[in-house]
Amino acid sequence: MMLLEAYTLGNIALKNRVVMAAMTRARANTDGVVGDLTVEYYTQRAGAGLILTEAINISADALGSPFTPGLFTAEQTQAWRKVTDAVHAKGGKIFAQLWHTGRIGHSVDRKGILPVAPSAVGITGQQHFTSQGPLDFEVPRALTLEEIKLTILDYKQAALHAIEAGFDGVELHAANGYLPNQFLADNTNLRTDEYGGSIENKSRFILEVMETLIEAIGGERVGIKLSPFQSYGGIVLNDPIASFTYLIEQLNKMDFAFIELMKRSPMFPLNPDYPTGDEVEIFAPLTTHTVIANCGYDKDSAEAVLQKGLAQLVSFGALFIANPDLPKRFSVGSELNAVDFNTMFAGGEKGYIDYPALA
Ligand SMILES: Cc1cc2nc3c(=O)[nH]c(=O)nc-3n(C[C@H](O)[C@H](O)[C@H](O)COP(=O)(O)O)c2cc1C
């Protein structure tokens, strides 16, 4: 089975092609510091060829949801060191996912400060999960040009902290409607400066962040996650094929480790103006980088996408929550545990570190 074969990513030797997808689990403390439960959670999953961590806030201003971790203070960085040491001791590899939530946040969890975004456009008709329960989204404050430059430096600093914390690399979270995706999209970016208007300008933020990360820690330690047709966070692109084709072509000019292509989750409706095709089939052939295919894969469909040569790695989200030893289960063809949706963000050990592994 190709899925269980080794793969060299940049200059990192992965023991198999089963990647754990980034998943927010909301188990950090109010200072964004992860604890022993998180060490245990990732250690249990070190059989993955590569772990992509839950999204990690790059700055206080990046934070959108309660109990999510950070990589901007010394305490946060030192706490992650325990995770990376434990994963490495088990022969695993681990990248930190770098996160800025942009408009997907709420002032109640941001010390009263409004979220920031490319433009002052709020999410309507949806509520945000906050520490005070579901609340209507607010209208964010538009970032100034100077703040955009400072935000890019926040990504750089977080990447340097990631390396200090022992991570093998970082993944830029440019998917699912968060800040980089908000720059690229048409309904969230109404700017008239060099970060708005044309597709070239709307891609600029993502490309500048990638250039900065590559320069700071080396391209072999940098990846990016994209979700071209995902509408999560109220994201709308006028022409997603044109925008993502341009973005991927520009990314082809840079030397880095991978693009994770997330297909639209069936939990979110397809924008009626979007193409109905499979994002991995459409976009993977355009990139010169290693592709991690994501969303909705099981053992057979993952093997098929590898065999077709569309992707070199496949990432699994929900299956990894419920099956800490997922590669082993694939290898022996055993039953899979079912995921409990109620405990995904519930805090504590239940539904976090108590899913059984095979004997
Ligand atoms: C509980 C949960 C939390 C998630 N948090 C993140 C996240 O922090 N960053 C991210 O890029 N994707 C996040 N995702 C999306 C997953 O990385 C993945 O793209 C998605 O679950 C589809 O893969 P799957 O069908 O194998 O689960 C999350 C998914 C789940 C189920």
Side-chain angles (χ1 to χ4, degrees), residues 20-25 52-56 97 99 171-176 178 225 230 260 262-263 265-267 294-298 314-321 339 341 344-345:
M20 176 175 169
M23 280 175 295
T24 293
R25 303 305 312 273
L52 301 169
T53 66
E54 63 207 274
I56 307 179
Q97 192 187 55
W99 199 25
E171 175 182 63
L172 172 63
H173 191 354
N176 284 347
Y178 294 107
K225 181 172 184 176
Q230 182 81 301
E260 184 182 18
M262 181 193 182
K263 301 200 279 189
S265 159
M267 285 194 305
N294 174 251
C295 203
Y297 287 94
D298 60 14
V314 182
S315 63
F316 301 86
L319 289 184
F320 249 118
I321 290 183
V339 69
F341 290 91
M344 276 179 172
F345 309 111

Side-chain angles (χ1 to χ4, degrees), residues 95 169-173 210 213 219-225 256-260:
F95 272 43
V170 301
E171 175 182 63
L172 172 63
H173 191 354
M210 285 298 283
L213 294 176
E220 70 285 0
R221 300 200 280 196
V222 177
I224 183 170
K225 181 172 184 176
F256 61 92
F258 67 83
I259 294 189
E260 184 182 18

Side-chain angles (χ1 to χ4, degrees), residues 27 339-347 350 355:
R27 260 78 173 184
V339 69
D340 171 15
F341 290 91
N342 295 320
T343 49
M344 276 179 172
F345 309 111
K350 197 164 179 303
Y355 284 103

